[in-house]
Amino acid sequence: DVIIRGGGPSENRFFLDDVEIPVINHFATQGASGGPVGIINADFIQTLNFYSGSFPSDKYNALSGVLEFKQKEGSKDKTNFQVSVGASEAAFTVNGPIGDNTSYIFSIRRSYLQLLFSALELPFLPTFNDYQLKVKTNFNAKNQLTIISIGSLDHLTLNESIANPDPSQEYLLTQIPINDQWSYTLGAVYKNFFDKGFHTFVLSRNMLNNSFY
């Protein structure tokens, strides 16, 4: 959880290229900001602004703090591929141009913790997946459109293949709920520049579906 100046986790707001993203973590705590793993791919982040007060006028509904992420743009010259393997997940990223005025960057990640946890005979098996997309078009020097999307698909199940669970494992197997969760945010940002400033128009939709049993 992100807690700023003693405020609650639900009092913060998170923005990705001017689009609000209410869910930033896998297995998110509903109504708050917590979760064990971040959804945002760190390779995408170009800059991060943190506000603990005097919030910008377009960063609304914040009581404690605002985190404003700006993403990198895709290459305008050639298509690039990247495959990475981390401590808990594997990722594939591709970026490049679409015509003369548009670039894109896209990544998809999947965890393999469930394989490690099963081998260690831990009673819970978490699996998380996510994707991230940014497409930017410069129509001309004064008009640009950015489309972003980010989403996750999470599943936490029980390791019922443990042959002879000890008392601690048995307790966890009876207490931990099976958790299915998915979320996404889709947004479009249009900017129009003029001599002494610019207009920004944002249209977005987000969704969180969370079930325990």
Side-chain angles (χ1 to χ4, degrees):
D1 278 324
V2 179
I3 297 174
I4 300 169
R5 292 184 288 105
S10 62
E11 296 177 357
N12 306 306
R13 292 294 177 266
F14 307 92
F15 291 85
L16 186 66
D17 288 326
D18 297 316
V19 176
E20 184 179 4
I21 48 171
V23 181
I24 63 169
N25 287 302
H26 292 285
F27 302 107
T29 306
Q30 194 164 346
S33 59
V37 183
I39 296 175
I40 298 175
N41 188 339
D43 290 338
F44 275 43
I45 299 174
Q46 184 175 39
T47 61
L48 171 61
N49 294 320
F50 167 65
Y51 303 94
S52 61
S54 300
F55 308 125
S57 59
D58 59 340
K59 303 300 182 283
Y60 44 83
N61 292 337
L63 295 176
S64 291
V66 169
L67 282 131
E68 181 183 34
F69 299 88
K70 295 293 184 182
Q71 299 181 96
K72 299 175 182 176
E73 297 181 20
S75 172
K76 297 179 181 178
D77 301 320
K78 62 178 182 178
T79 301
N80 302 292
F81 301 94
Q82 177 181 321
V83 177
S84 59
V85 178
S88 60
E89 78 275 347
F92 171 75
T93 303
V94 58
N95 73 88
I98 304 175
D100 296 331
N101 301 322
T102 303
S103 65
Y104 74 94
I105 181 169
F106 172 78
S107 79
I108 186 169
R109 299 189 298 177
R110 179 175 174 83
S111 70
Y112 50 80
L113 279 178
Q114 67 277 12
L115 304 177
L116 176 62
F117 284 16
S118 179
L120 295 175
E121 293 193 336
L122 295 179
F124 49 91
L125 304 174
T127 303
F128 61 85
N129 310 269
D130 60 52
Y131 77 90
Q132 195 165 336
L133 170 69
K134 177 178 180 177
V135 180
K136 185 175 181 179
T137 299
N138 292 305
F139 298 107
N140 50 49
K142 293 187 176 182
N143 295 278
Q144 67 182 33
L145 175 67
T146 302
I147 297 174
I148 70 109
S149 185
I150 186 170
S152 67
L153 176 64
D154 307 327
H155 181 61
L156 178 66
T157 188
L158 303 178
N159 186 3
E160 298 177 346
S161 64
I162 300 176
N164 296 299
D166 59 33
S168 175
Q169 292 171 326
E170 285 186 342
Y171 174 77
L172 290 174
L173 287 170
T174 61
Q175 295 298 314
I176 295 178
I178 293 174
N179 179 204
D180 290 315
Q181 185 178 113
W182 56 266
S183 67
Y184 72 84
T185 297
L186 175 65
V189 181
Y190 173 74
K191 289 191 176 183
N192 170 248
F193 298 89
F194 48 93
D195 291 340
K196 296 183 179 181
F198 61 91
H199 298 295
T200 302
F201 302 92
V202 180
L203 178 66
S204 67
R205 174 180 172 81
N206 60 74
M207 180 77 179
L208 169 66
N209 186 82
N210 192 13
S211 64
F212 287 78
Y213 59 93

